[in-house]
């Protein structure tokens, strides 16, 4: 089952993020899934995830997620990622890293814990200035 779960996560990043296939979200997320770390509250289900997905795609183009390393442990898949894109408002390239841990159920993402370096992302786009960190 570990390889099937790993392949499902590879497909998630490939189809949803790299190919921009929003329809794949419904096929790859469990209807009652929970995603943590993408906002102040957990995102529930595909319908809850789509506003986050759309907002990110509205703000960035050329999104490419590289899975630098993937680990499996039973029904868990851990992905170390590098994200590259272009910030549409400024035209600046962005490059940041993250980790995603997913609990899979029947080939679907049931629970996901996300830890992406949004601080670096926001510094690169100018949303946060370095002097604000002092």
């Amino acid at each position: 089952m570990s390889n099937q779960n790993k392949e499902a996560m590879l497909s998630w990043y490939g189809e949803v993020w790299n190919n921009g296939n929003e329809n794949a979200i419904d096929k790859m997320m469990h209807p009652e899934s929970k995603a943590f770390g993408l906002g102040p509250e957990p995102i529930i289900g595909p319908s809850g995830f789509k506003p986050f997905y759309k907002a990110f795609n509205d703000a960035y183009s050329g999104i490419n997620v590289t899975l630098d390393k993937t680990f499996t442990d039973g029904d868990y898949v851990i992905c170390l990622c590098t994200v590259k894109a272009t910030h549409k408002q400024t035209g600046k390239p962005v490059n940041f890293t993250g980790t995603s841990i997913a609990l899979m159920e029947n080939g679907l993402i049931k629970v996901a814990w996300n830890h992406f370096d949004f601080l670096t992302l926001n510094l690169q786009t100018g949303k946060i200035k370095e002097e604000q960190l002092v």
Side-chain angles (χ1 to χ4, degrees):
M1 186 60 99
S2 293
N3 283 338
Q4 181 183 10
N5 289 336
K6 180 179 176 179
E7 291 301 317
M9 286 304 291
L10 292 172
S11 292
W12 169 262
Y13 284 106
E15 278 301 309
V16 173
W17 290 105
N18 295 344
N19 292 337
N21 183 358
E22 183 179 339
N23 294 326
I25 294 168
D26 292 313
K27 297 175 186 172
M28 297 182 176
M29 285 183 85
H30 189 282
E32 299 171 5
S33 61
K34 290 184 182 179
F36 298 91
L38 301 175
E41 299 295 323
I43 294 173
I44 309 298
S47 62
F49 182 78
K50 286 180 182 180
F52 169 82
Y53 176 80
K54 287 177 184 177
F56 199 87
N57 276 275
D58 286 347
Y60 300 92
S61 64
I63 299 167
N64 184 270
V65 181
T66 301
L67 298 183
D68 302 312
K69 191 69 177 168
T70 305
F71 305 90
T72 59
D73 182 9
D75 289 332
Y76 290 88
V77 181
I78 303 99
C79 300
L80 306 178
C81 309
T82 299
V83 181
K84 294 181 181 180
T86 300
H87 185 238
K88 290 180 181 178
Q89 184 178 2
T90 62
K92 292 181 178 180
V94 296
N95 183 341
F96 61 100
T97 59
T99 303
S100 180
I101 302 169
L103 172 61
M104 307 297 289
E105 183 178 287
N106 299 320
L108 302 176
I109 300 170
K110 177 71 176 184
V111 183
W113 297 269
N114 299 281
H115 302 278
F116 284 86
D117 188 359
F118 293 130
L119 174 59
T120 293
L121 172 66
N122 287 320
L123 284 167
Q124 291 172 359
T125 62
K127 188 173 182 179
I128 296 174
K129 306 287 185 207
E130 281 194 44
E131 53 271 15
Q132 290 175 286
L133 302 177
V134 180

